[in-house]
């Protein structure tokens, strides 16, 4: 009914959807209306406890669309009432749909990673004279770890980590995980994904790049 009385309206989906849903929904609307309908996907980043505050004061707005159009410009102008235009990101619909899922999964992965650290600390503490305070250690880590402090760290995907410290220490954590017989090999998987990236995705970067790091050195 709304679309029939406002044929120039733009439809915005905000709920988390499966990849490809927005385009499928647009096709169905076009069939029902008998005219072209523009549907975009705008993932929302709201926390359950502060949903209203987050909606009124968003830290970022992401708009997934097929291309920038006059209608998309109007949509941006609406969000500009709540946030600076420089903080509005326009990407493709597929990217926006996947972004929302990856976004939430990353938050879950971070919690699981530190829970794995917690379980390892508990195992170590069973034999330690001076038990490790895991939460205190992690609070200090939030001030020392570039991956936690620097929002751009590690975001250039498509290559592995190399050098001296990261390969050595990630393997040590994987070793401790095995020594203390943790039920899920999370730290081992970190190393295995990196090994796969180096050997199968972009090996020449590590054999002939500026760092001159060979497989033998990494393994």
């Amino acid at each position: 009914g709304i679309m029939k009385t406002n044929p120039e309206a733009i439809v915005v989906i905000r709920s988390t959807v499966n990849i490809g849903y927005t385009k499928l929904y647009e096709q169905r609307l076009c069939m029902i209306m008998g005219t072209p309908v523009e549907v975009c996907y705008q993932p929302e980043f709201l926390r359950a406890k502060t949903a209203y505050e987050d909606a009124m004061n968003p830290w970022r707005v992401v708009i997934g669309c097929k291309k920038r159009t006059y209608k998309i410009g109007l949509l941006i102008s609406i969000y500009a009432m709540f946030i600076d235009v420089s903080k509005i990101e326009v990407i493709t619909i597929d990217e926006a749909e996947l972004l929302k899922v990856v976004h939430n999964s990353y938050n879950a992965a971070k919690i699981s990673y530190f829970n794995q650290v917690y379980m390892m600390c508990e195992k170590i503490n069973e034999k330690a004279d001076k038990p490790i305070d895991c939460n205190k250690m992690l609070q200090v880590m939030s001030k020392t770890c570039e991956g936690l402090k620097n929002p751009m760290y590690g975001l250039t995907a498509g290559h592995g980590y190399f050098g001296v410290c990261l390969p050595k220490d990630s393997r040590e954590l994987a070793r401790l995980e095995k020594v203390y017989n943790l039920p899920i090999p999370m730290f081992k998987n970190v190393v295995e994904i990196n090994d796969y990236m180096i050997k199968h995705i972009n090996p020449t970067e590590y054999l002939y790049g500026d760092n001159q790091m060979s497989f033998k050195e990494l393994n």
Side-chain angles (χ1 to χ4, degrees):
I2 295 176
M3 290 301 299
K4 290 181 179 179
T5 56
N6 298 276
E8 294 299 314
I10 180 171
V11 178
V12 181
I13 298 176
R14 300 197 63 184
S15 299
T16 303
V17 298
N18 294 331
I19 306 304
Y21 178 86
T22 302
K23 291 180 180 179
L24 181 61
Y25 186 75
E26 181 180 85
Q27 292 172 1
R28 290 175 177 173
L29 274 183
C30 289
M31 291 179 61
I32 294 172
M33 294 292 296
T35 57
V37 178
E38 188 166 3
V39 179
C40 69
Y41 178 65
Q42 196 259 301
E44 56 186 11
F45 306 107
L46 307 178
R47 295 164 292 185
K49 292 183 178 180
T50 57
Y52 178 78
E53 291 79 3
D54 292 342
M56 298 303 294
N57 301 283
W59 52 89
R60 287 280 170 175
V61 168
V62 176
I63 300 172
C65 60
K66 290 184 291 187
K67 60 181 180 179
R68 284 181 177 268
T69 64
Y70 172 70
K71 290 183 180 180
I72 297 300
L74 291 177
L75 185 61
I76 291 174
S77 67
I78 293 174
Y79 287 118
M81 298 170 61
F82 300 91
I83 189 173
D84 189 88
V85 175
S86 65
K87 296 182 179 180
I88 300 176
E89 312 280 355
V90 179
I91 57 181
T92 70
I93 292 173
D94 291 334
E95 290 167 346
E97 288 175 336
L98 185 57
L99 166 66
K100 181 58 186 296
V101 178
V102 173
H103 170 105
N104 285 342
S105 182
Y106 174 77
N107 286 338
K110 182 177 179 180
I111 294 170
S112 289
Y113 184 89
F114 289 125
N115 276 333
Q116 185 81 335
V117 172
Y118 170 81
M119 287 189 285
M120 188 176 70
C121 287
E122 290 296 288
K123 290 287 187 179
I124 294 173
N125 286 344
E126 290 178 3
K127 300 180 179 180
D129 293 331
K130 297 181 179 180
I132 297 170
D133 186 332
C134 181
N135 287 323
K136 181 179 180 180
M137 179 186 73
L138 295 181
Q139 286 299 315
V140 174
M141 180 178 162
S142 70
K143 303 171 186 176
T144 63
C145 179
E146 189 172 5
L148 294 175
K149 294 195 309 170
N150 182 355
M152 296 304 296
Y153 185 85
L155 287 185
T156 305
H159 61 82
Y161 55 79
F162 52 97
V164 178
C165 294
L166 298 189
K168 174 177 64 67
D169 290 346
S170 61
R171 292 184 187 281
E172 172 61 9
L173 211 55
R175 185 189 72 82
L176 290 174
E177 182 179 61
K178 184 176 181 180
V179 167
Y180 289 102
N181 197 29
L182 298 187
I184 309 297
M186 186 174 193
F187 301 144
K188 177 185 176 184
N189 290 339
V190 170
V191 173
E192 289 182 343
I193 290 172
N194 194 61
D195 287 347
Y196 186 87
M197 288 295 300
I198 292 173
K199 294 178 181 179
H200 300 284
I201 305 301
N202 52 9
T204 56
E205 176 182 345
Y206 296 88
L207 286 174
Y208 308 111
D210 294 337
N211 291 279
Q212 298 293 314
M213 182 62 65
S214 69
F215 295 154
K216 183 177 181 181
E217 289 173 295
L218 287 166
N219 293 313

